[in-house]
Every structure is written in C-alpha cells, then in structure tokens.
Amino acid sequence: MQVREVMNQHAVTLTPQQTLGEAAEVMRRIDTGFVPVGENDRLVGTITDRDIVVNGMARGKSADDAVREVMGQEVLYCFDDQEVAEVARNMGERQVRRMPVVDRDKRLVGIVSLGDLSTDGDPSAAGVALEQISQ
C-alpha cells in the first residue's frame, strides 16, 4: 500500500513571514499541532504547537513574531508513492509522528501521521514506529 492511499490530502501551509499568532490560529482552526511551512512553492520547514510555546513564548517571542523565528528548518518528507511500511520505518527512525507528503516534483500533496498509518495502512509497522518514537 502506498502513502497516497492513507494520507490526509488537505494540507494547509504557512509562510515564514506569517506570525506565530496566525500559526496558532490555523492550528486551532484545523485541529492540528503541525503545519508545513512553504515559500515559493517549496517546503522550507515545519512548525508545531511545541515550537510556538518552547522556541517562541518561553524565549520571549510574541504572537506578532514571524514563524521563521521558531520553525524547524530540517524538512523531513516522504513521497506519495512510497510504501506505507517504509515510511513508518523512517518515521520511527527519525522519531516523528507526522510528515509532509510530496510528489516526485517535490510539491506538497498531503500530510501523513502515525494515526493514518495505523488505521488505514499497516498497523504493525505503525506500532513499531511508535515504539521507536517513544524511546
């Protein structure tokens, strides 16, 4: 089974110039703690609710500061045509619970989570990944 079969196709992105307040509002509206950050049609990072609190508010940033000041700049992603078990293994090794999904032109086409992998994909592979993440 390929990732495109289990991913969430409704990926929302933020830009590095948007504010932390806007990022928090987007996360609240779509009920997530993870949003890819894009610029010029390319992924340039990700931001999590934890980034906003730990790298932002706890370091004196305000809701008016830019996403770029706290976002993670290492862009981990998978391809939409990769096998679910392979992606689950990679998520476990990298200790991430969510990952942007891109096509072979590296355009964002969705987000995959461990939940997606376990409920719609390969529960045993997702379980192994979760075990690795939890260590």
Side-chain angles (χ1 to χ4, degrees):
M1 178 176 288
Q2 294 181 331
V3 170
R4 72 168 54 99
E5 298 173 62
V6 300
M7 71 182 190
N8 179 339
Q9 296 177 17
H10 305 289
V12 172
T13 61
L14 294 164
T15 67
Q17 298 79 23
Q18 285 183 272
T19 67
L20 297 180
E22 289 172 316
E25 175 55 28
V26 166
M27 288 179 188
R28 185 202 59 76
R29 184 171 37 87
I30 64 173
D31 193 26
T32 190
F34 171 90
V35 179
V37 180
E39 189 169 49
N40 299 324
D41 205 26
R42 294 286 183 217
L43 289 176
V44 295
T46 59
I47 187 166
T48 65
D49 48 4
R50 187 175 192 283
D51 290 328
I52 293 171
V53 174
V54 175
N55 297 333
M57 302 304 161
R59 292 190 173 153
K61 302 290 182 192
S62 77
D64 295 325
D65 284 307
V67 164
R68 82 166 56 81
E69 295 184 38
V70 302
M71 71 182 195
Q73 295 183 6
E74 181 181 19
V75 181
L76 302 175
Y77 61 87
C78 63
F79 291 106
D80 62 347
D81 60 356
Q82 278 184 275
E83 292 296 318
V84 165
E86 177 186 5
V87 172
R89 203 170 31 255
N90 189 29
M91 290 172 79
E93 289 169 3
R94 300 305 301 251
Q95 297 193 313
V96 296
R97 295 175 186 270
R98 297 174 208 91
M99 191 173 279
V101 181
V102 298
D103 62 19
R104 289 294 170 172
D105 292 325
K106 294 196 176 172
R107 304 276 189 254
L108 183 68
V109 295
I111 303 287
V112 69
S113 70
L114 279 181
D116 297 329
L117 298 178
S118 67
T119 58
D120 299 324
D122 184 343
S124 62
V128 170
L130 181 58
E131 184 178 330
Q132 289 177 312
I133 291 168
S134 299
Q135 293 178 356

